Amino acid sequence: MNTTVRDMLGIEFPILAFSHCRDVVAAVTNAGGMGVLGATALTPEELEVELDWIEGEVGGRPFGVDLLFPASYVGDESDLDPTALAELIPDEHRAFLGDLLERYEVPEIPEGVVEQSFAKMTVAHERVGQLADIAFAHPIRLIANALGPPPPMMIEEAHARDIPVAALAGTRAHAARNAQVGADIIVAQGYEAGGHTGTISTMVLVPEVVDEVAPVPVLAAGGIGDGRQVAAALALGAEGVWTGSVWLTTEEAETHPVVKDKFLAAGSGDTVRSRSITGKPARQLRTAWTDEWESDESPGPLPMPLQPMLVDDARARIARASTTPGSGAEKLANYFVGQVVGSMNSVKPARRVMLELIEGFADTVERLEALADTAGEK
């Protein structure tokens, strides 16, 4: 896989792995790809600890950081602090969520117990800027913006340090805008992907984006879980792949055990794009949680960041209580995942997943070469 992205990032294989788990990031980097730590839900102090640990594990091999500078959200053009933003949440939504938790008998978190939030979101530019400062203080080899064009501050600081900037896009127009502001790599993320995603499939989106932003290299994302899909991505003109969901059921992943079990049992049709966690459309496992927010009784999700502010504590309660079999919390528990979940049927070490991606790619290329030779003989 001799591609532009491989050379740009100094990696052996142009396979990038987005993960909130530092162990996955380190494992993929050590296996010849590039682990990219999803840092949005971390505090600056937590990010410092995570990056120090990764740096110590990878022995100088390249790794990256993914942040979330959304192009727009409620309050983004004001000086509203979290308290003022919280006052924008309608009583109707608070009442709906309270009733939902009561109907599913989700217990309160005991007093004095501090739970790591299951869906914590950090979107304020000042806070994300602090995370970027922490990231730049470490030897990262990539910084990515997961939602919208990277802000000038990110691009200027990254380029001053010779760090490539990646930006995710779900349409040709978004990709063009990301390239125009200075992104070095465009991640074309198709409809199949987990997390924030648009409505155009990977098969259609990738060649559109490749043609639109050339010569800026493109990574394909969405529905990539084995070597055949890696080969398909490169055949469409991508210079590598950006993967995420496939790492959620690895041994190293810190995926909630109840959610991991649901992933292992799920089919490719068991996901849905929903605004019920972040306020923006994000593909996730379909559960009672997403069904309730789409029901006739629901007031509908709020825009970012009001929706995560509303549901954050509730989802922490659900995560804590969901380990009780048959409970309402177990029915509600979910997380972001792509349609490739239907192929995530066993728990494997991340290094094994990397090996299977590489071997599957090689086998696919060999098969295509054989087909081409056969066609030539005719």
Side-chain angles (χ1 to χ4, degrees):
M1 288 185 253
N2 298 316
T3 72
T4 302
V5 165
R6 191 196 76 159
D7 296 339
M8 180 186 295
L9 301 179
I11 54 182
E12 186 176 0
F13 306 107
I15 298 173
L16 283 72
F18 168 85
S19 177
H20 292 289
C21 175
R22 66 185 190 181
D23 297 84
V24 171
V25 171
V28 172
T29 285
N30 286 332
M34 174 180 271
V36 181
L37 181 68
T40 297
L42 300 175
T43 66
E45 295 76 17
E46 289 169 339
L47 180 58
E48 184 76 58
V49 171
E50 298 294 89
L51 293 181
D52 281 343
W53 185 91
I54 293 170
E55 188 177 342
E57 289 291 313
V58 300
R61 298 179 183 89
F63 63 95
V65 170
D66 179 280
L67 297 176
L68 184 69
F69 278 99
S72 63
Y73 57 90
V74 172
D76 67 337
E77 297 179 352
S78 71
D79 295 323
L80 293 179
D81 60 24
T83 301
L85 279 171
E87 292 176 355
L88 298 178
I89 299 175
D91 291 340
E92 177 187 17
H93 286 75
R94 295 185 188 278
F96 171 77
L97 183 59
D99 176 69
L100 186 156
L101 295 173
E102 184 176 346
R103 284 188 288 109
Y104 283 84
E105 300 180 338
V106 180
E108 296 274 1
I109 294 176
E111 187 175 351
V113 175
V114 178
E115 285 287 323
Q116 174 67 41
S117 173
F118 194 52
K120 183 169 59 178
M121 296 289 295
T122 303
V123 296
H125 279 210
E126 179 181 359
R127 185 70 172 277
V128 184
Q130 294 173 355
L131 295 177
D133 290 341
I134 296 295
F136 285 131
H138 288 77
I140 62 171
R141 284 301 304 145
L142 179 76
I143 190 163
N145 190 42
L147 198 61
M153 173 275 292
M154 174 189 283
I155 293 175
E156 292 168 6
E157 187 69 22
H159 287 174
R161 298 170 180 270
D162 194 30
I163 297 170
V165 178
L168 277 69
T171 69
R172 180 199 294 257
H174 291 162
R177 186 172 59 186
N178 290 346
Q180 288 166 2
V181 300
D184 304 287
I185 299 171
I186 305 299
V187 181
Q189 179 158 287
Y191 174 77
E192 303 95 321
H196 295 116
T197 185
T199 59
I200 303 172
S201 71
T202 303
M203 181 69 74
V204 172
L205 180 65
V206 171
E208 282 190 350
V209 171
V210 168
D211 292 344
E212 179 67 34
V213 304
V216 177
V218 173
L219 295 175
I224 299 171
D226 71 19
R228 292 169 296 179
Q229 290 151 339
V230 174
L234 269 62
L236 293 173
E239 296 285 325
V241 296
W242 176 279
T243 58
S245 297
V246 71
W247 310 104
L248 291 169
T249 51
T250 58
E251 289 181 359
E252 294 88 345
E254 296 174 353
T255 308
H256 191 287
V258 170
V259 174
K260 184 179 283 191
D261 286 343
K262 288 187 175 185
F263 286 168
L264 293 169
S268 56
D270 293 329
T271 68
V272 63
R273 286 173 76 246
S274 170
R275 296 192 298 116
S276 61
I277 297 179
T278 72
K280 290 183 180 288
R283 186 171 296 285
Q284 55 204 266
L285 192 68
R286 179 177 180 178
T287 69
W289 172 267
T290 55
D291 287 347
E292 288 287 350
W293 279 99
E294 295 299 323
S295 69
D296 293 338
E297 292 73 26
S298 168
L302 295 166
M304 180 182 283
L306 300 184
Q307 185 69 11
M309 291 179 68
L310 170 67
V311 305
D312 198 41
D313 288 342
R315 289 183 60 80
R317 287 171 56 181
I318 291 167
R320 178 180 176 83
S322 63
T323 53
T324 301
S327 65
E330 183 187 39
K331 296 179 175 67
L332 291 167
N334 80 333
Y335 194 60
F336 308 109
V337 72
Q339 292 180 332
V340 75
V341 70
S343 301
M344 295 158 47
N345 302 317
S346 62
V347 177
K348 305 172 185 176
R351 186 175 186 86
R352 179 65 196 174
V353 174
M354 269 292 293
L355 181 61
E356 290 178 355
L357 289 171
I358 296 162
E359 290 178 341
F361 169 82
D363 290 345
T364 302
V365 171
E366 184 177 347
R367 175 176 175 271
L368 292 174
E369 288 175 342
L371 289 173
D373 290 342
T374 302
E377 293 172 0
K378 294 180 180 179

